Amino acid sequence: MAGHDTAAGASAPAALRSDWIDWEERADPPVYQVALWPNRSLGHRGQRGVIAIAAAGFCLPLAAAAGTMAFWGLLPFCAAAVLVLSVAFRRRNRDASLSEVFSLWRDEVRVERREPSGRVRRWRAVPQFLCLTLHARARIRNYLTLTGGGREIELGAFLASDERVALKQEIERALARLP
């Protein structure tokens, strides 16, 4: 479900594909539900600290060159490096707003993906025909896909390899408990 569609030969825009649909909210609670999001190991406070340390580190050579022409030659590069670091953290924060919600009812499976752009993509299938697959030889180790409803989507592509294995086991246990 991240970034691209995994179905072979899929070239139509996502808005035209039948697997990304609108649905009515259900009144009954799901039997199993899990929310997934990328790891955010460094918070805003930590990011500010990294930027401050980088800025202080760049000031050391500037302090030694203070009052010389070299100072003015180095200043734009040091400022640009701190600016690039700041922009990279902003981009990382925006990308970290990605989330996926897997919901399971007795008669339906739903996956809702909220992308950093604000776009919401939805997929659903019948649990009895759902196939979970961990691809061991894919470019990404333990790449998890769901097949059902005539489509194949990826789930939790932003998770660590061992987290995808645990997620597959959790979903399989939830499916096994269905009546």
Side-chain angles (χ1 to χ4, degrees):
M1 283 222 7
H4 65 282
D5 192 287
T6 58
S11 60
L16 302 177
R17 293 189 201 127
S18 62
D19 61 328
W20 299 109
I21 53 167
D22 289 325
W23 58 50
E24 306 257 339
E25 292 301 318
R26 293 183 61 136
D28 57 328
V31 175
Y32 172 79
Q33 186 172 51
V34 62
L36 310 170
W37 59 86
N39 182 18
R40 296 176 183 105
S41 60
L42 186 63
H44 294 292
R45 195 170 163 194
Q47 292 172 11
R48 285 192 300 268
V50 168
I51 292 170
I53 290 169
F58 288 129
C59 285
L60 291 176
L62 285 179
T68 67
M69 289 300 288
F71 174 83
W72 297 107
L74 290 173
L75 182 63
F77 294 103
C78 294
V82 172
L83 179 67
V84 166
L85 185 61
S86 177
V87 168
F89 276 134
R90 281 194 201 126
R91 169 69 190 255
R92 178 189 165 275
N93 291 337
R94 187 181 65 84
D95 290 348
S97 66
L98 171 69
S99 68
E100 295 176 350
V101 177
F102 176 92
S103 304
L104 173 66
W105 288 268
R106 288 178 302 166
D107 61 340
E108 185 177 41
V109 173
R110 292 182 177 184
V111 175
E112 181 176 84
R113 176 187 171 90
R114 296 190 177 273
E115 297 181 358
S117 66
R119 183 178 186 181
V120 177
R121 302 177 87 187
R122 295 177 171 133
W123 173 86
R124 68 179 170 190
V126 178
Q128 292 76 11
F129 301 110
L130 183 68
C131 179
L132 285 100
T133 308
L134 275 176
H135 301 272
R137 293 192 177 145
R139 187 174 51 108
I140 301 171
R141 202 171 116 223
N142 294 328
Y143 184 75
L144 180 62
T145 61
L146 303 175
T147 306
R151 303 296 293 176
E152 180 179 39
I153 63 167
E154 58 189 345
L155 183 66
F158 46 78
L159 298 175
S161 176
D162 56 332
E163 291 173 325
R164 288 190 295 270
V165 172
L167 176 62
K168 180 181 185 275
Q169 292 169 350
E170 260 186 61
I171 292 172
E172 286 174 336
R173 280 193 297 272
L175 287 168
R177 289 191 306 263
L178 289 179

